[in-house]
PDB file of all heavy atoms in Angstrom:
ATOM      1  N   PRO B 675     124.290 130.090  25.682  1.00 94.00           N
ATOM      2  CA  PRO B 675     122.972 130.165  26.357  1.00 94.00           C
ATOM      3  C   PRO B 675     121.869 129.495  25.543  1.00 94.00           C
ATOM      4  O   PRO B 675     120.802 129.174  26.051  1.00 94.00           O
ATOM      5  CB  PRO B 675     122.743 131.632  26.502  1.00 94.00           C
ATOM      6  CG  PRO B 675     123.525 132.279  25.428  1.00 94.00           C
ATOM      7  CD  PRO B 675     124.649 131.382  25.105  1.00 94.00           C
ATOM      8  N   GLU B 676     122.088 129.296  24.276  1.00 92.00           N
ATOM      9  CA  GLU B 676     121.071 128.662  23.420  1.00 92.00           C
ATOM     10  C   GLU B 676     121.766 127.862  22.321  1.00 92.00           C
ATOM     11  O   GLU B 676     122.923 128.069  22.040  1.00 92.00           O
ATOM     12  CB  GLU B 676     120.165 129.715  22.797  1.00 92.00           C
ATOM     13  CG  GLU B 676     120.929 130.717  21.975  1.00 92.00           C
ATOM     14  CD  GLU B 676     120.115 131.927  21.512  1.00 92.00           C
ATOM     15  OE1 GLU B 676     119.490 132.571  22.332  1.00 92.00           O
ATOM     16  OE2 GLU B 676     120.142 132.205  20.302  1.00 92.00           O
ATOM     17  N   MET B 677     121.030 126.972  21.693  1.00 90.00           N
ATOM     18  CA  MET B 677     121.680 126.046  20.794  1.00 90.00           C
ATOM     19  C   MET B 677     121.785 126.493  19.321  1.00 90.00           C
ATOM     20  O   MET B 677     121.524 125.740  18.419  1.00 90.00           O
ATOM     21  CB  MET B 677     120.964 124.663  20.832  1.00 90.00           C
ATOM     22  CG  MET B 677     121.287 123.862  22.096  1.00 90.00           C
ATOM     23  SD  MET B 677     122.984 124.117  22.737  1.00 90.00           S
ATOM     24  CE  MET B 677     123.915 123.237  21.518  1.00 90.00           C
ATOM     25  N   ALA B 678     122.242 127.698  19.100  1.00 96.00           N
ATOM     26  CA  ALA B 678     122.504 128.101  17.689  1.00 96.00           C
ATOM     27  C   ALA B 678     123.851 127.526  17.271  1.00 96.00           C
ATOM     28  O   ALA B 678     124.723 127.387  18.149  1.00 96.00           O
ATOM     29  CB  ALA B 678     122.532 129.601  17.612  1.00 96.00           C
ATOM     30  N   PRO B 679     124.028 127.139  16.008  1.00 98.00           N
ATOM     31  CA  PRO B 679     125.390 126.586  15.614  1.00 98.00           C
ATOM     32  C   PRO B 679     126.525 127.549  15.968  1.00 98.00           C
ATOM     33  O   PRO B 679     127.552 127.136  16.458  1.00 98.00           O
ATOM     34  CB  PRO B 679     125.237 126.390  14.114  1.00 98.00           C
ATOM     35  CG  PRO B 679     123.788 126.300  13.852  1.00 98.00           C
ATOM     36  CD  PRO B 679     123.091 127.102  14.906  1.00 98.00           C
ATOM     37  N   LEU B 680     126.309 128.854  15.679  1.00 98.00           N
ATOM     38  CA  LEU B 680     127.363 129.827  15.963  1.00 98.00           C
ATOM     39  C   LEU B 680     126.736 130.866  16.918  1.00 98.00           C
ATOM     40  O   LEU B 680     125.706 131.465  16.569  1.00 98.00           O
ATOM     41  CB  LEU B 680     127.809 130.516  14.685  1.00 98.00           C
ATOM     42  CG  LEU B 680     128.819 131.662  14.803  1.00 98.00           C
ATOM     43  CD1 LEU B 680     130.103 131.242  15.479  1.00 98.00           C
ATOM     44  CD2 LEU B 680     129.157 132.288  13.456  1.00 98.00           C
ATOM     45  N   HIS B 681     127.354 131.047  18.090  1.00 98.00           N
ATOM     46  CA  HIS B 681     126.808 132.005  19.034  1.00 98.00           C
ATOM     47  C   HIS B 681     127.816 133.096  19.303  1.00 98.00           C
ATOM     48  O   HIS B 681     128.903 132.855  19.859  1.00 98.00           O
ATOM     49  CB  HIS B 681     126.364 131.323  20.335  1.00 98.00           C
ATOM     50  CG  HIS B 681     125.479 132.199  21.120  1.00 98.00           C
ATOM     51  ND1 HIS B 681     125.936 133.259  21.893  1.00 98.00           N
ATOM     52  CD2 HIS B 681     124.115 132.250  21.251  1.00 98.00           C
ATOM     53  CE1 HIS B 681     124.900 133.843  22.464  1.00 98.00           C
ATOM     54  NE2 HIS B 681     123.798 133.281  22.064  1.00 98.00           N
ATOM     55  N   ILE B 682     127.470 134.348  18.879  1.00 98.00           N
ATOM     56  CA  ILE B 682     128.334 135.500  19.164  1.00 98.00           C
ATOM     57  C   ILE B 682     127.460 136.507  19.903  1.00 98.00           C
ATOM     58  O   ILE B 682     126.473 137.005  19.343  1.00 98.00           O
ATOM     59  CB  ILE B 682     128.841 136.154  17.828  1.00 98.00           C
ATOM     60  CG1 ILE B 682     129.585 135.089  17.003  1.00 98.00           C
ATOM     61  CG2 ILE B 682     129.683 137.372  18.168  1.00 98.00           C
ATOM     62  CD1 ILE B 682     130.013 135.613  15.627  1.00 98.00           C
ATOM     63  N   GLN B 683     127.780 136.748  21.143  1.00 98.00           N
ATOM     64  CA  GLN B 683     126.902 137.627  21.933  1.00 98.00           C
ATOM     65  C   GLN B 683     126.938 139.069  21.390  1.00 98.00           C
ATOM     66  O   GLN B 683     128.017 139.600  21.119  1.00 98.00           O
ATOM     67  CB  GLN B 683     127.338 137.637  23.365  1.00 98.00           C
ATOM     68  CG  GLN B 683     126.303 138.271  24.286  1.00 98.00           C
ATOM     69  CD  GLN B 683     126.887 138.580  25.653  1.00 98.00           C
ATOM     70  OE1 GLN B 683     127.856 139.304  25.812  1.00 98.00           O
ATOM     71  NE2 GLN B 683     126.283 138.010  26.667  1.00 98.00           N
ATOM     72  N   ASN B 684     125.739 139.644  21.194  1.00 97.00           N
ATOM     73  CA  ASN B 684     125.709 141.086  20.833  1.00 97.00           C
ATOM     74  C   ASN B 684     126.330 141.901  21.938  1.00 97.00           C
ATOM     75  O   ASN B 684     125.941 141.714  23.127  1.00 97.00           O
ATOM     76  CB  ASN B 684     124.221 141.461  20.609  1.00 97.00           C
ATOM     77  CG  ASN B 684     124.077 142.826  20.041  1.00 97.00           C
ATOM     78  OD1 ASN B 684     124.651 143.788  20.555  1.00 97.00           O
ATOM     79  ND2 ASN B 684     123.309 142.958  18.997  1.00 97.00           N
ATOM     80  N   PRO B 685     127.328 142.745  21.638  1.00 97.00           N
ATOM     81  CA  PRO B 685     128.068 143.421  22.729  1.00 97.00           C
ATOM     82  C   PRO B 685     127.154 144.301  23.616  1.00 97.00           C
ATOM     83  O   PRO B 685     127.478 144.497  24.803  1.00 97.00           O
ATOM     84  CB  PRO B 685     129.112 144.233  22.025  1.00 97.00           C
ATOM     85  CG  PRO B 685     128.818 144.179  20.574  1.00 97.00           C
ATOM     86  CD  PRO B 685     127.874 143.060  20.333  1.00 97.00           C
ATOM     87  N   PHE B 686     126.083 144.852  23.064  1.00 98.00           N
ATOM     88  CA  PHE B 686     125.238 145.743  23.876  1.00 98.00           C
ATOM     89  C   PHE B 686     123.906 145.122  24.265  1.00 98.00           C
ATOM     90  O   PHE B 686     123.430 145.241  25.370  1.00 98.00           O
ATOM     91  CB  PHE B 686     125.046 147.087  23.148  1.00 98.00           C
ATOM     92  CG  PHE B 686     126.354 147.793  22.979  1.00 98.00           C
ATOM     93  CD1 PHE B 686     126.841 148.069  21.684  1.00 98.00           C
ATOM     94  CD2 PHE B 686     127.107 148.189  24.049  1.00 98.00           C
ATOM     95  CE1 PHE B 686     128.037 148.717  21.510  1.00 98.00           C
ATOM     96  CE2 PHE B 686     128.358 148.823  23.880  1.00 98.00           C
ATOM     97  CZ  PHE B 686     128.799 149.125  22.597  1.00 98.00           C
ATOM     98  N   GLU B 687     123.229 144.481  23.295  1.00 96.00           N
ATOM     99  CA  GLU B 687     121.991 143.804  23.594  1.00 96.00           C
ATOM    100  C   GLU B 687     122.337 142.339  23.919  1.00 96.00           C
ATOM    101  O   GLU B 687     122.244 141.465  23.044  1.00 96.00           O
ATOM    102  CB  GLU B 687     121.011 143.907  22.433  1.00 96.00           C
ATOM    103  CG  GLU B 687     120.624 145.341  22.169  1.00 96.00           C
ATOM    104  CD  GLU B 687     119.870 145.543  20.841  1.00 96.00           C
ATOM    105  OE1 GLU B 687     120.564 145.495  19.779  1.00 96.00           O
ATOM    106  OE2 GLU B 687     118.637 145.730  20.846  1.00 96.00           O
ATOM    107  N   THR B 688     122.803 142.140  25.166  1.00 96.00           N
ATOM    108  CA  THR B 688     123.544 140.919  25.472  1.00 96.00           C
ATOM    109  C   THR B 688     122.691 139.617  25.391  1.00 96.00           C
ATOM    110  O   THR B 688     123.216 138.526  25.387  1.00 96.00           O
ATOM    111  CB  THR B 688     124.212 141.021  26.855  1.00 96.00           C
ATOM    112  OG1 THR B 688     123.193 141.422  27.763  1.00 96.00           O
ATOM    113  CG2 THR B 688     125.356 142.002  26.866  1.00 96.00           C
ATOM    114  N   SER B 689     121.345 139.801  25.297  1.00 95.00           N
ATOM    115  CA  SER B 689     120.522 138.551  25.200  1.00 95.00           C
ATOM    116  C   SER B 689     120.458 138.121  23.720  1.00 95.00           C
ATOM    117  O   SER B 689     119.883 137.110  23.414  1.00 95.00           O
ATOM    118  CB  SER B 689     119.138 138.785  25.772  1.00 95.00           C
ATOM    119  OG  SER B 689     118.531 139.800  25.007  1.00 95.00           O
ATOM    120  N   LEU B 690     120.998 138.908  22.826  1.00 96.00           N
ATOM    121  CA  LEU B 690     120.878 138.575  21.390  1.00 96.00           C
ATOM    122  C   LEU B 690     122.163 137.947  20.848  1.00 96.00           C
ATOM    123  O   LEU B 690     123.268 138.196  21.294  1.00 96.00           O
ATOM    124  CB  LEU B 690     120.590 139.856  20.557  1.00 96.00           C
ATOM    125  CG  LEU B 690     119.331 140.632  20.892  1.00 96.00           C
ATOM    126  CD1 LEU B 690     119.179 141.845  19.955  1.00 96.00           C
ATOM    127  CD2 LEU B 690     118.081 139.729  20.773  1.00 96.00           C
ATOM    128  N   ASN B 691     121.942 137.089  19.800  1.00 97.00           N
ATOM    129  CA  ASN B 691     123.034 136.424  19.186  1.00 97.00           C
ATOM    130  C   ASN B 691     123.232 137.110  17.788  1.00 97.00           C
ATOM    131  O   ASN B 691     122.317 137.066  16.955  1.00 97.00           O
ATOM    132  CB  ASN B 691     122.687 134.915  18.982  1.00 97.00           C
ATOM    133  CG  ASN B 691     123.683 134.190  18.128  1.00 97.00           C
ATOM    134  OD1 ASN B 691     124.777 134.713  17.833  1.00 97.00           O
ATOM    135  ND2 ASN B 691     123.344 132.948  17.775  1.00 97.00           N
ATOM    136  N   VAL B 692     124.376 137.706  17.572  1.00 97.00           N
ATOM    137  CA  VAL B 692     124.649 138.432  16.349  1.00 97.00           C
ATOM    138  C   VAL B 692     124.605 137.484  15.123  1.00 97.00           C
ATOM    139  O   VAL B 692     124.275 137.913  14.014  1.00 97.00           O
ATOM    140  CB  VAL B 692     126.105 139.036  16.488  1.00 97.00           C
ATOM    141  CG1 VAL B 692     126.622 139.495  15.165  1.00 97.00           C
ATOM    142  CG2 VAL B 692     126.078 140.173  17.475  1.00 97.00           C
ATOM    143  N   SER B 693     124.935 136.212  15.326  1.00 97.00           N
ATOM    144  CA  SER B 693     124.978 135.265  14.200  1.00 97.00           C
ATOM    145  C   SER B 693     123.897 134.234  14.262  1.00 97.00           C
ATOM    146  O   SER B 693     124.118 133.042  13.914  1.00 97.00           O
ATOM    147  CB  SER B 693     126.385 134.612  14.180  1.00 97.00           C
ATOM    148  OG  SER B 693     126.622 134.060  15.471  1.00 97.00           O
ATOM    149  N   LYS B 694     122.721 134.635  14.649  1.00 96.00           N
ATOM    150  CA  LYS B 694     121.558 133.740  14.818  1.00 96.00           C
ATOM    151  C   LYS B 694     121.208 133.081  13.453  1.00 96.00           C
ATOM    152  O   LYS B 694     120.685 131.976  13.395  1.00 96.00           O
ATOM    153  CB  LYS B 694     120.388 134.595  15.308  1.00 96.00           C
ATOM    154  CG  LYS B 694     119.279 133.837  15.951  1.00 96.00           C
ATOM    155  CD  LYS B 694     118.296 134.821  16.505  1.00 96.00           C
ATOM    156  CE  LYS B 694     116.885 134.319  16.205  1.00 96.00           C
ATOM    157  NZ  LYS B 694     115.899 135.372  16.361  1.00 96.00           N
ATOM    158  N   ASN B 695     121.477 133.822  12.419  1.00 96.00           N
ATOM    159  CA  ASN B 695     121.077 133.343  11.063  1.00 96.00           C
ATOM    160  C   ASN B 695     121.971 132.189  10.504  1.00 96.00           C
ATOM    161  O   ASN B 695     121.587 131.517   9.581  1.00 96.00           O
ATOM    162  CB  ASN B 695     121.203 134.522  10.055  1.00 96.00           C
ATOM    163  CG  ASN B 695     122.633 135.053   9.982  1.00 96.00           C
ATOM    164  OD1 ASN B 695     123.263 135.277  10.991  1.00 96.00           O
ATOM    165  ND2 ASN B 695     123.136 135.191   8.784  1.00 96.00           N
ATOM    166  N   VAL B 696     123.151 131.973  11.147  1.00 98.00           N
ATOM    167  CA  VAL B 696     124.123 131.041  10.549  1.00 98.00           C
ATOM    168  C   VAL B 696     123.719 129.596  10.797  1.00 98.00           C
ATOM    169  O   VAL B 696     123.397 129.216  11.931  1.00 98.00           O
ATOM    170  CB  VAL B 696     125.534 131.308  11.165  1.00 98.00           C
ATOM    171  CG1 VAL B 696     126.581 130.310  10.633  1.00 98.00           C
ATOM    172  CG2 VAL B 696     125.967 132.740  10.839  1.00 98.00           C
ATOM    173  N   ASN B 697     123.704 128.759   9.725  1.00 97.00           N
ATOM    174  CA  ASN B 697     123.337 127.347   9.919  1.00 97.00           C
ATOM    175  C   ASN B 697     124.646 126.479  10.038  1.00 97.00           C
ATOM    176  O   ASN B 697     125.749 126.962   9.846  1.00 97.00           O
ATOM    177  CB  ASN B 697     122.407 126.828   8.867  1.00 97.00           C
ATOM    178  CG  ASN B 697     123.020 126.889   7.452  1.00 97.00           C
ATOM    179  OD1 ASN B 697     124.268 126.889   7.307  1.00 97.00           O
ATOM    180  ND2 ASN B 697     122.181 126.887   6.437  1.00 97.00           N
ATOM    181  N   THR B 698     124.420 125.210  10.342  1.00 97.00           N
ATOM    182  CA  THR B 698     125.562 124.304  10.602  1.00 97.00           C
ATOM    183  C   THR B 698     126.463 124.187   9.407  1.00 97.00           C
ATOM    184  O   THR B 698     127.706 124.193   9.516  1.00 97.00           O
ATOM    185  CB  THR B 698     125.046 122.922  11.033  1.00 97.00           C
ATOM    186  OG1 THR B 698     124.105 123.142  12.063  1.00 97.00           O
ATOM    187  CG2 THR B 698     126.159 122.035  11.533  1.00 97.00           C
TER     188      THR B 698
END
Side-chain angles (χ1 to χ4, degrees):
E676 58 187 54
M677 284 327 288
L680 174 60
H681 197 281
I682 304 174
Q683 192 194 60
N684 187 310
F686 297 117
E687 294 169 287
T688 51
S689 62
L690 299 182
N691 174 11
V692 165
S693 52
K694 200 174 138 198
N695 61 313
V696 176
N697 64 21
T698 310

